[in-house]
Amino acid sequence: MTVSLEQLRRCHVAVDLGAARTRVYVKGAGLVVDEPSVAAVNTRTGALIAVGTFAERMTGRTPDYIRVVRPVSGGTVVDIEMAQRMLRHLLGEKLRRALRRKPRLRAAACTPHDADPLAQRATVETLVGLGARRVELVDTLIAAAVGCGLPVEQPTATMIMVCGAAATQVAVLSLGSIVTAERIPVGGEAIDHAIVQHLRHAHELMLPSQAVRPLQLALHGNGITAEGPASTLIHGRDVATGLARSVQVDTAAVRDAIFTPLTAVLDGIGKVLRDCPPDLVADLTDRGIMMVGGSALLPGLDQMLRDATGMPVAIAERPDICAVLGLGAMLEGKIAPMVLNPLAG
């Protein structure tokens, strides 16, 4: 692990700053914040107008002087000051006062696999600005594996796939560490973009930013397999005339558009398996892949992975919050390191 379990037990708060959502776990209180990583700012005065769900609903619907920003991109803080302001408002005054009473506030945070030192520094500075005296960084892959109950501390292979908004991370874990891992720059946003581009090219329709999710839900049934609904009605704006228009979209064509970016994810899984020792790959034939992250809920993605890899694929019970729950379990001392018993000489 990035830090020892003893250091994590001393932390008071755990933060998962994701590209899509920000989650905060407070020791003894549980998950206290689970909101979109979005803030709305008045560009004339610099005042913060809204954060979280309300700010996300304002996307694409604001006048010129209001700007909707995302201070976290690809799991990395790109605007430290705005991330701090967003976190302050999400935590609320009562919780911030309670945290300030801690004599030496310690925080733990998730970082994407292979995050560069600048990205790690940005995460640390964001939490230091909120009053943390010390910040411990934990790899998202390990935190998510702990959060979904995988036996990461055992000498057996466990394969985890974190499907985020901006990237997908795949890793094989053993003895509490990452054996081999790959970060693929394809996530839920790439899938959304593929749907938007397909409708623009095939139907000359510009899709509102809020309309992608309903279209993904229309693929339910057996998801991105052929048994989903044949078509669904989508409302948008005509590219040529600029007028409102509704079209009946063939879901088979949308499935093909979604599959294109997902081929990169399959290539990444193949690379991880090729780099993995044969003994651990043999373990994975029975244990399979555990999917976590918000994009793991894309209908039919698990079946596509089963068909491509021939391995069992399972989705965690609460895939979207596994990483922060894993950090919380480490803070609460629920995870014990494996004790080695040396042979008596």
Side-chain angles (χ1 to χ4, degrees), residues 153-298:
E153 74 282 358
Q154 297 300 319
T156 55
T158 53
M159 190 170 189
I160 188 160
M161 178 174 164
V162 180
C163 309
T168 299
Q169 303 171 69
V170 185
V172 174
L173 310 175
S174 180
L175 288 172
S177 297
I178 295 171
V179 177
T180 177
E182 189 73 16
R183 189 165 182 260
I184 307 116
V186 172
E189 291 172 357
I191 293 167
D192 293 351
H193 182 69
I195 293 174
V196 170
Q197 290 299 106
H198 165 73
L199 290 175
R200 187 182 181 97
H201 293 141
H203 300 280
E204 295 186 344
L205 191 75
M206 288 184 69
L207 200 63
S209 58
Q210 313 284 334
V212 177
R213 293 299 172 204
L215 184 55
Q216 286 189 3
L217 292 174
L219 295 173
H220 246 304
N222 283 321
I224 50 179
T225 55
E227 286 84 4
S231 63
T232 185
L233 188 67
I234 294 295
H235 310 287
R237 190 179 78 183
D238 191 282
V239 173
T241 65
L243 300 175
R245 185 161 66 92
S246 300
V247 295
Q248 201 75 24
V249 178
D250 179 23
T251 48
V254 176
R255 281 193 292 270
D256 292 339
I258 289 175
F259 187 79
T260 303
L262 291 178
T263 52
V265 176
L266 297 177
D267 292 342
I269 292 173
K271 186 176 186 305
V272 168
L273 292 173
R274 286 194 299 273
D275 294 344
C276 192
D279 290 343
L280 294 180
V281 175
D283 289 348
L284 294 174
T285 55
D286 296 327
R287 306 184 70 90
I289 305 171
M290 177 64 78
M291 294 174 63
V292 302
S295 300
L297 297 171
L298 178 68

Side-chain angles (χ1 to χ4, degrees), residues 16-288:
D16 179 14
L17 279 168
R21 297 184 77 86
T22 293
R23 299 177 176 94
V24 180
Y25 184 104
V26 175
K27 194 173 186 176
L31 188 65
V32 295
V33 173
D34 184 3
E35 292 277 341
S37 305
V38 187
V41 186
N42 186 325
T43 55
R44 294 173 183 169
T45 64
L48 202 60
I49 296 172
V51 295
T53 304
F54 187 51
E56 188 178 50
R57 289 212 308 267
M58 294 165 68
T59 304
R61 295 181 165 91
T62 59
D64 292 342
Y65 65 92
I66 296 177
R67 189 164 58 98
V68 177
V69 296
R70 291 183 175 270
V72 184
S73 176
T76 302
V77 177
V78 292
D79 187 337
I80 294 173
E81 183 190 354
M82 188 55 66
Q84 289 174 350
R85 293 175 70 187
M86 180 185 76
L87 269 173
R88 282 194 198 100
H89 281 77
L90 288 176
L91 286 170
E93 185 61 36
K94 183 180 176 183
L95 187 55
R96 277 189 288 133
R97 277 203 305 268
L99 290 175
R100 275 201 298 267
R101 284 197 291 269
K102 306 287 184 186
R104 287 185 63 82
L105 180 65
R106 287 172 174 246
C110 292
T111 54
H113 180 66
D114 282 348
D116 59 74
L118 282 176
Q120 294 179 1
R121 179 80 180 168
T123 303
V124 170
E125 287 189 12
T126 299
L127 297 181
V128 166
L130 289 172
R133 297 292 184 89
R134 185 180 174 93
V135 179
E136 310 290 0
L137 299 179
V138 179
D139 197 302
T140 302
L141 290 162
I142 293 176
V146 170
C148 62
L150 292 177
V152 291
E153 74 282 358
Q154 297 300 319
T156 55
T158 53
M159 190 170 189
I160 188 160
M161 178 174 164
V162 180
C163 309
T168 299
Q169 303 171 69
V170 185
V172 174
L173 310 175
S174 180
L175 288 172
S177 297
I178 295 171
V179 177
T180 177
E182 189 73 16
R183 189 165 182 260
I184 307 116
V186 172
E189 291 172 357
I191 293 167
D192 293 351
H193 182 69
I195 293 174
V196 170
Q197 290 299 106
H198 165 73
L199 290 175
R200 187 182 181 97
H201 293 141
H203 300 280
E204 295 186 344
L205 191 75
M206 288 184 69
L207 200 63
S209 58
Q210 313 284 334
V212 177
R213 293 299 172 204
L215 184 55
Q216 286 189 3
L217 292 174
L219 295 173
H220 246 304
N222 283 321
I224 50 179
T225 55
E227 286 84 4
S231 63
T232 185
L233 188 67
I234 294 295
H235 310 287
R237 190 179 78 183
D238 191 282
V239 173
T241 65
L243 300 175
R245 185 161 66 92
S246 300
V247 295
Q248 201 75 24
V249 178
D250 179 23
T251 48
V254 176
R255 281 193 292 270
D256 292 339
I258 289 175
F259 187 79
T260 303
L262 291 178
T263 52
V265 176
L266 297 177
D267 292 342
I269 292 173
K271 186 176 186 305
V272 168
L273 292 173
R274 286 194 299 273
D275 294 344
C276 192
D279 290 343
L280 294 180
V281 175
D283 289 348
L284 294 174
T285 55
D286 296 327
R287 306 184 70 90

